[in-house]
Amino acid sequence: MATQVFKVPDIMIDGFKFGFCPGCDHGVAMRLVAECLDELNLQENTICASAIGCSVCIYDYINVDTIEAPHGRAIAEATGVKRAKPDKFVFTYQGDGDFASIGLAESMHAALRGEKISAICINNTNYGMTGGQLGPTTMVGQVTTTSPTGRNLEYYGYPMKIAEQFALCDGVAFSARVSLDTVPNIRKAKAAIKKAFEYQIKGLGFSFVEILSSCPTNWRMTPQKAHDRVRDEMMKVFVPGVYKDILESKQV
Amino acid sequence: MSHIVIDDKQCKACYLCIDECPKKLIKVSDKVNNLGARPVEFYDPNGECLGCAMCATRCPDLAIREVYRG
Ligand SMILES: Cc1ncc(C[n+]2csc(CCOP(=O)(O)OP(=O)(O)O)c2C)c(N)n1
């Protein structure tokens, strides 16, 4: 008898269809979040704050109560929800532009206050939904629609290392960066998301996972080449790892 | 017998799964699906599939819906 080793997570909405471009890692990241919610039995007790960007349609895919936030304000909404209903599991799923650019003040202060929520941030080094503009994580030299000659240090300065920055906030219980470039790394990514969720359940503080993802359409690459770029370029600058874990007393 | 189940209507033809399969059992179909893409199909005449689920883990569209091992 063959045993089933992979299935569509139960929490996915019946008949859902991801609307992402071919090869986009948002689909992998959302599936990992769904698998973790399933495994931790959180379906009935979760409220999600969804962000603006390619992540916006999470409510069309994952069957939990979701509120839509204006651009950058998912963490602010999640804070309100968690404070009003502290027994709920509350998480956000945001792009890097949403989390670390327009929403940076909200995100960082929630981390400093140690709000007991979890945030997942997709780092694809650009503003994906609007056509690939330069964002807070765009790499030095990277060509985008708003930096046609490449990100120029004199003009734009440096990209932000989100997981490291958030690890420095005292209210943070867990901050990690993971990558989706290979299957083993996808498995590690899931373990990190699960740990972040468990830290919220234990009430330890703000938990955060930054996920390095490909954006083949805006990078103008095949999905295969895009993963090579994640591995050869992004992971050199945005080094994966656990930057803070208060139970392991790991600090940057 | 180990095998996978593909929903060809969900496949957007990124072909990431093809590189992932250690036994090279996934190939591009001759058919065109509802998205106008040529989806992948599972081709395992000799029962070589390991049920490792690497293809399904990689698939960004959950087009590989089920994997069975054993
Ligand atoms: C207040 C406001 N400003 C700008 C926009 C336009 N806008 C929509 S999505 C987006 C970029 C989102 O990029 P990111 O957060 O990196 O997510 P991605 O799409 O890359 O996953 C922008 C600027 C908006 N919707 N609202």
Side-chain angles (χ1 to χ4, degrees), chain B residues 1-49:
Chain B
M1 204 167 76
S2 299
H3 67 281
I4 65 174
V5 179
I6 299 174
D7 178 355
D8 59 9
K9 290 194 285 306
Q10 305 271 349
C11 176
K12 294 183 194 146
C14 72
Y15 303 144
L16 286 168
C17 55
I18 293 180
D19 302 333
E20 223 49 74
C21 179
K23 299 283 179 189
K24 301 280 165 260
L25 303 175
I26 301 176
K27 64 180 185 72
V28 179
S29 167
D30 298 330
K31 287 182 264 161
V32 174
N33 71 5
N34 54 319
L35 301 170
R38 283 174 62 195
V40 293
E41 59 188 25
F42 181 57
Y43 182 71
D44 185 16
N46 303 320
E48 288 177 85
C49 178

Side-chain angles (χ1 to χ4, degrees), chain A residues 121-178:
Chain A
C121 173
I122 305 297
N123 176 350
N124 55 11
T125 71
N126 64 30
Y127 291 150
M129 177 173 260
T130 42
Q133 292 83 359
L134 177 133
T137 50
T138 297
M139 298 175 68
V140 177
Q142 183 182 337
V143 173
T144 69
T145 49
T146 46
S147 58
T149 53
R151 185 178 186 139
N152 163 338
L153 270 189
E154 267 107 85
Y155 195 74
Y156 291 105
Y158 291 92
M160 179 171 180
K161 297 182 179 171
I162 312 174
E164 287 91 327
Q165 296 281 358
F166 277 71
L168 291 171
C169 300
D170 289 332
V172 171
F174 183 77
S175 176
R177 181 184 294 116
V178 295

Side-chain angles (χ1 to χ4, degrees), chain A residues 3 5 18 20 25 31 180, chain B residues 9 12 57-58 67 69:
Chain A
T3 46
V5 290
F18 283 140
F20 308 119
D25 278 338
R31 187 191 78 229
L180 302 178
Chain B
K9 290 194 285 306
K12 294 183 194 146
T57 308
R58 178 73 276 171
V67 179
R69 185 184 302 166

Side-chain angles (χ1 to χ4, degrees), chain A residues 201-221:
Chain A
I201 296 166
K202 290 185 189 143
L204 296 173
F206 189 90
S207 55
F208 175 69
V209 181
E210 174 186 346
I211 304 180
L212 302 182
S213 303
S214 62
C215 184
T217 300
N218 288 315
W219 296 355
R220 313 232 184 327
M221 288 179 187

Side-chain angles (χ1 to χ4, degrees), chain A residues 24-30 32-33 48-56 58 71-72 74-75 90-104 106-108 111 117-128 135-138 160-167 174-180 189-190 192-194 196-197 206-214 230 234 238-241 243:
Chain A
C24 171
D25 278 338
H26 260 298
V28 176
M30 274 198 198
L32 298 182
V33 168
C48 165
S50 107
I52 298 296
C54 296
S55 47
V56 63
I58 192 164
H71 203 9
I75 289 276
V90 182
F91 79 99
T92 69
Y93 180 96
Q94 306 171 254
D96 46 9
D98 190 89
F99 183 88
S101 186
I102 190 169
L104 181 61
E106 282 82 354
S107 306
M108 185 148 273
I117 55 181
S118 306
I120 308 293
C121 173
I122 305 297
N123 176 350
N124 55 11
T125 71
N126 64 30
Y127 291 150
T137 50
T138 297
M160 179 171 180
K161 297 182 179 171
I162 312 174
E164 287 91 327
Q165 296 281 358
F166 277 71
F174 183 77
S175 176
R177 181 184 294 116
V178 295
S179 168
L180 302 178
K190 180 173 168 188
I193 295 169
K194 201 162 175 187
F197 286 3
F206 189 90
S207 55
F208 175 69
V209 181
E210 174 186 346
I211 304 180
L212 302 182
S213 303
S214 62
V230 172
M234 284 171 73
F238 305 114
V239 181
Y243 289 94

